Amino acid sequence: MQLLQQKIINEGTVLSDHVLKVDAFLNHQIDPQLMVEVGKEFARRFQNDRITKVLTIESSGIAPGLMAALELGVPVIFARKRKSLTLVNDLLTASVHSFTKNETSDISVSQKFLEPTDNVLIIDDFLANGQAALGLANIVELAGAKTAGIGIVIEKSFQDGGLLLRDKGFKVESLARIQSLQGGKVTFVEDLEVVR
Ligand code: G4P
């Protein structure tokens, strides 16, 4: 997705060989027009997958998840990471370990929003080690529903998540795939494919 790649190049900051800061348009300030295009692109890529619900995780998954759901004409649910005053009963919960943050946390969704008949599209902002997406897929499984696909805004292809999820048979669609952040430079997988 050309527009997203341009945004990453123009407004992203490489913090280290492993971390890209995108708080100018995705993780803190959010570019609404970019999110509209992100939603359209996800809808295009999953248009034949009979999606009935979008499932994402707070907080940075909500904007792309919402726009994808709007384009697909389905509801969006976001998994909560923190305990909520009102979200207490009949929870579907999965444990998610973050290698980046070196911490494990529980994520939860109220079971009343996921039916066994649902065909779920999981959306998240970043794919690093794939643990958040796997946790969301676990929740879908607990509901007896089906994960129809996983849509990612930015995949860091040099980390294990993409391989892990695809090896498990999930259809994973990433709008930008980063091959490397070495030397402070963003290299996209697509750039390398063009060169080959
Ligand atoms: P994983 O789910 O793929 O295993 O990822 P990981 O645990 O490593 O990621 C933990 C958090 O760090 C997630 O956000 C994820 O989006 C974010 N993250 C991972 N790599 C990068 C990166 O290179 N740049 C940025 N900006 N974020 C990254 P989170 O803690 O859930 O935050 P939020 O959704 O509340 O914003």
Side-chain angles (χ1 to χ4, degrees):
M1 194 184 164
Q2 202 66 37
L3 181 65
L4 177 61
Q5 288 196 358
Q6 275 310 322
K7 270 284 198 200
I8 292 170
I9 290 165
N10 295 340
E11 297 178 36
T13 311
V14 178
L15 287 189
S16 70
D17 285 355
H18 293 98
V19 179
L20 174 71
K21 186 171 175 173
V22 288
D23 66 350
F25 58 91
L26 183 59
N27 286 151
H28 194 23
Q29 174 169 263
I30 299 173
D31 181 334
Q33 203 51 53
L34 176 68
M35 288 306 121
V36 169
E37 298 306 323
V38 160
K40 283 185 183 160
E41 184 61 18
F42 279 136
R44 191 181 69 76
R45 294 189 190 205
F46 292 98
Q47 64 188 345
N48 297 323
D49 293 294
R50 300 190 315 281
I51 305 299
T52 61
K53 272 186 197 145
V54 168
L55 175 63
T56 186
I57 181 164
E58 65 176 347
S59 54
S60 298
I62 295 176
L66 176 68
M67 297 320 293
L70 181 69
E71 290 296 327
L72 288 163
V74 299
V76 55
I77 309 156
F78 65 92
R80 290 193 182 259
K81 292 179 190 158
R82 295 159 212 97
K83 295 258 178 291
S84 152
L85 188 63
T86 54
L87 188 69
V88 281
N89 293 324
D90 303 322
L91 295 181
L92 303 169
T93 299
S95 194
V96 173
H97 180 71
S98 168
F99 291 100
T100 307
K101 294 181 168 176
N102 195 23
E103 63 185 27
T104 301
S105 56
D106 282 347
I107 61 170
S108 304
V109 169
S110 172
Q111 75 176 23
K112 73 179 170 205
F113 297 123
L114 280 175
E115 310 277 341
T117 49
D118 274 324
N119 220 16
V120 180
L121 172 60
I122 291 171
I123 297 279
D124 207 358
D125 59 334
F126 266 94
L127 176 57
N129 296 295
Q131 298 305 302
L134 266 189
L136 292 171
N138 282 344
I139 284 179
V140 173
E141 204 180 331
L142 286 174
K146 182 173 169 260
T147 296
I150 300 175
I152 300 292
V153 182
I154 302 174
E155 173 178 344
K156 294 189 292 182
S157 300
F158 55 86
Q159 291 184 264
D160 293 339
L163 207 58
L164 180 82
L165 297 177
R166 291 178 179 106
D167 272 358
K168 285 185 180 291
F170 291 113
K171 172 181 174 180
V172 181
E173 290 285 338
S174 304
L175 305 191
R177 290 184 297 160
I178 294 176
Q179 182 63 44
S180 158
L181 294 172
Q182 279 177 10
K185 183 177 178 298
V186 182
T187 307
F188 295 101
V189 173
E190 292 82 352
D191 295 343
L192 299 178
E193 283 171 352
V194 170
V195 171
R196 259 186 230 130

